[in-house]
Amino acid sequence: MIWLENTSNYAGVHLFGDKKDFVSLHEAIYSVVGEEGEYPGYEQIRLRILILCSELEQAVVGQRDIILVPNGLDPEKMLTSPIESGNNVYIRIQILWPELLFIGFVLNDFIELSAKHRKHFWDSTPARIRQFQSVIGDCLENTVGDSKFRLLKGSLTPNFVGYYENFLTQYIDYLNIEFLKMDKEKRLANVSIAAKRVANMDAKYIKIKREIEKMAKQNGVTSSAVEYAGEYPETIQW
């Protein structure tokens, strides 16, 4: 069972699970985002989500944190149990809050876009994605509190299928970088604001989009080829 916990400085969350959990989530996400070029207008988003898939893959082969969690079995019980350790082994990766929220929102589009590939009505793939979204939702609610979450609940329902088509993900870089500039307390206070900004393409998004499109035109490249000018810190204070 995957679960999320805030990092100590609220830069993002720890995503926990065992090997089976991570493999299952990886398979589900990889399935819904489709093949290269399958969903025109979503390729830039697809590549961004595949970064999470890469993190999950590396965690499964032992290249990320290993966490031991007590399983509640005392030595006497273990004498009559096939379990030989008092700890369960989990793996852990970190995700920045704006990045996590973006993935949660945009997966709504991919669930609908990939519906034609479902094996049958009870296909587990969309259910696994929804389960991941529900974990994000629970963590968001616990982080921002009841009153702020009530204002965000409507945003968890997709505006319409295709809302994120041709979305410029450089905006998520902007949100990530600005979020990381904040101190611990301000980050916590701004999680709900980050959620609103990801869910609604506001004036700031439009401004950044126009700047990127202008730069792309000047350099004779596509908008997706233009990198956001801001820089991530060399070391993230998670």
Side-chain angles (χ1 to χ4, degrees):
M1 180 71 177
I2 280 177
W3 77 96
L4 303 175
E5 292 180 5
N6 276 292
T7 57
S8 58
N9 291 309
Y10 294 103
V13 300
H14 296 295
L15 190 158
F16 295 90
D18 60 23
K19 181 177 180 180
K20 184 177 179 181
D21 295 327
F22 275 37
V23 168
S24 177
L25 180 58
H26 174 276
E27 289 177 347
I29 293 176
Y30 202 86
S31 176
V32 298
V33 299
E35 300 294 331
E36 181 179 355
E38 184 172 356
Y39 306 123
Y42 281 86
E43 188 58 25
Q44 189 179 2
I45 298 170
R46 172 183 172 273
L47 292 174
R48 187 138 195 147
I49 292 181
L50 288 179
I51 295 173
L52 172 58
C53 287
S54 177
E55 284 289 303
L56 293 169
E57 285 181 320
Q58 292 180 59
V60 165
V61 297
Q63 296 182 13
R64 293 296 181 268
D65 296 337
I66 304 296
I67 307 297
L68 300 179
V69 178
N71 57 26
L73 289 178
D74 59 38
E76 290 186 4
K77 291 180 180 178
M78 289 171 62
L79 292 174
T80 58
S81 169
I83 299 175
E84 298 179 355
S85 172
N87 295 304
N88 291 335
V89 179
Y90 293 98
I91 44 185
R92 181 180 73 180
I93 62 175
Q94 287 81 33
I95 311 175
L96 295 171
W97 259 117
E99 193 80 33
L100 175 70
L101 292 164
F102 175 66
I103 290 171
F105 283 123
V106 80
L107 281 173
N108 286 322
D109 280 15
F110 279 111
I111 287 173
E112 298 304 322
L113 290 168
S114 64
K116 61 185 178 182
H117 297 307
R118 293 177 194 169
K119 299 173 184 178
H120 47 73
F121 192 74
W122 291 352
D123 188 346
S124 69
T125 298
R128 282 181 282 167
I129 297 294
R130 292 297 187 200
Q131 176 62 32
F132 179 48
Q133 289 177 306
S134 73
V135 171
I136 297 173
D138 288 344
C139 186
L140 178 61
E141 182 175 11
N142 291 333
T143 300
V144 305
D146 293 340
S147 59
K148 287 184 178 180
F149 189 73
R150 279 197 295 271
L151 300 175
L152 291 172
K153 283 197 294 186
S155 298
L156 304 184
T157 302
N159 291 291
F160 54 85
V161 178
Y163 182 71
Y164 287 98
E165 185 174 4
N166 297 313
F167 184 91
L168 296 185
T169 60
Q170 293 94 326
Y171 182 62
I172 305 304
D173 288 314
Y174 161 75
L175 292 179
N176 284 338
I177 292 169
E178 292 302 306
F179 197 76
L180 288 172
K181 291 177 181 177
M182 302 174 187
D183 60 25
K184 176 179 178 178
E185 289 72 23
K186 194 170 182 180
R187 286 174 182 173
L188 178 57
N190 275 265
V191 170
S192 61
I193 295 173
K196 291 178 183 177
R197 288 183 170 176
V198 174
N200 302 289
M201 299 179 202
D202 59 11
K204 187 63 179 180
Y205 171 77
I206 299 301
K207 181 182 178 182
I208 290 176
K209 181 175 184 288
R210 287 173 178 168
E211 290 172 352
I212 290 172
E213 290 174 340
K214 180 180 179 180
M215 190 175 298
K217 186 176 181 180
Q218 290 173 344
N219 291 279
V221 296
T222 62
S223 295
S224 62
V226 177
E227 293 186 5
Y228 179 65
E231 294 184 0
Y232 285 84
E234 291 185 9
T235 302
I236 294 176
Q237 300 299 318
W238 287 99

